[in-house]
Amino acid sequence: QVNQGLEHLTKAFLKDPGQPQVGAALAILHIKRGQPRQAVQVAEAMTRLEPNSPLALNLLGVARVAANDRAGGRAAYDKAVTADHRFIPARLNLAKLDVMEGKFDAARERLAMILKEQPNNTQAMSELANLEENLGRLDAAILQLQRIHSLEPKNISPGVHLAEIYLRKGEAEKA
């Protein structure tokens, strides 16, 4: 009953746009439904109410990138980081945007900075592993995936990813 949920979220948001959980859920639902313009409208309304909210600014960035407005997304992410330099989601999204734009060194630098500040941040490790894998640096990707696996042994996703890379390298026993 997604349509009914969307209708209820929209009504709740229009009644009180100051509820960040409702606004975030509504914007994300719009993005998942392939309606990024509506997501941008919701996120813009949230940032009008709280112009320095890293959460709202990051959501605006996500919505703008989904709407193929990378420059607008980058500007929103930058504002989120300016509002709170410790807000990791916007910093991760900037790294992802760097990758989209082929700025691989900038992405690696952003991720390395996050890991310097938070050595056990598995999201940054995962993004770095993906970056290294896409650049053909499989050993560097393996190192990051091994670190994630050692920190989160019950999380099967990094282990599966690691096995896939080992198989691609022809190292079936390690896989």
Side-chain angles (χ1 to χ4, degrees):
Q1 299 178 351
V2 176
N3 290 336
Q4 188 176 11
L6 181 62
E7 182 180 324
H8 289 297
L9 279 172
T10 301
K11 285 180 184 177
F13 185 73
L14 291 174
K15 184 177 180 182
D16 183 6
Q19 297 181 56
Q21 298 89 348
V22 173
L26 181 59
I28 290 167
L29 187 56
H30 279 306
I31 290 169
K32 287 183 178 182
R33 291 178 55 114
Q35 302 167 325
R37 286 190 203 124
Q38 290 89 330
V40 169
Q41 291 173 346
V42 170
E44 285 175 342
M46 291 174 65
T47 58
R48 278 192 296 276
L49 288 173
E50 293 190 58
N52 294 317
S53 165
L55 177 68
L57 289 164
N58 186 60
L59 183 62
L60 179 59
V62 170
R64 286 181 173 166
V65 170
N68 294 316
D69 177 9
R70 290 183 183 170
R74 184 173 293 280
Y77 295 145
D78 282 335
K79 284 183 184 178
V81 172
T82 299
D84 182 356
H85 72 278
R86 296 165 297 168
F87 190 69
I88 298 298
R91 293 170 66 190
L92 288 169
N93 284 333
L94 278 167
K96 290 177 189 177
L97 192 53
D98 286 339
V99 170
M100 284 181 182
E101 295 175 348
K103 300 174 183 174
F104 305 119
D105 290 338
R108 187 180 291 114
E109 189 175 311
R110 283 185 202 280
L111 296 168
M113 185 58 70
I114 292 169
L115 289 170
K116 182 178 179 185
E117 296 166 13
Q118 297 183 6
N120 295 333
N121 186 309
T122 57
Q123 288 179 299
M125 288 177 209
S126 180
E127 291 300 327
L128 187 54
N130 290 336
L131 170 63
E132 298 297 6
E133 180 184 13
N134 289 334
L135 292 176
R137 297 174 33 130
L138 298 183
D139 290 334
I142 287 170
L143 177 65
Q144 294 304 317
L145 292 168
Q146 287 172 333
R147 289 180 62 203
I148 297 168
H149 183 66
S150 70
L151 291 169
E152 298 178 350
K154 292 184 180 182
N155 182 351
I156 64 167
S157 182
V160 170
H161 192 175
L162 190 56
E164 290 170 350
I165 292 175
Y166 280 135
L167 289 172
R168 238 180 302 143
K169 286 183 71 176
E171 298 177 14
E173 285 187 35
K174 286 185 180 179

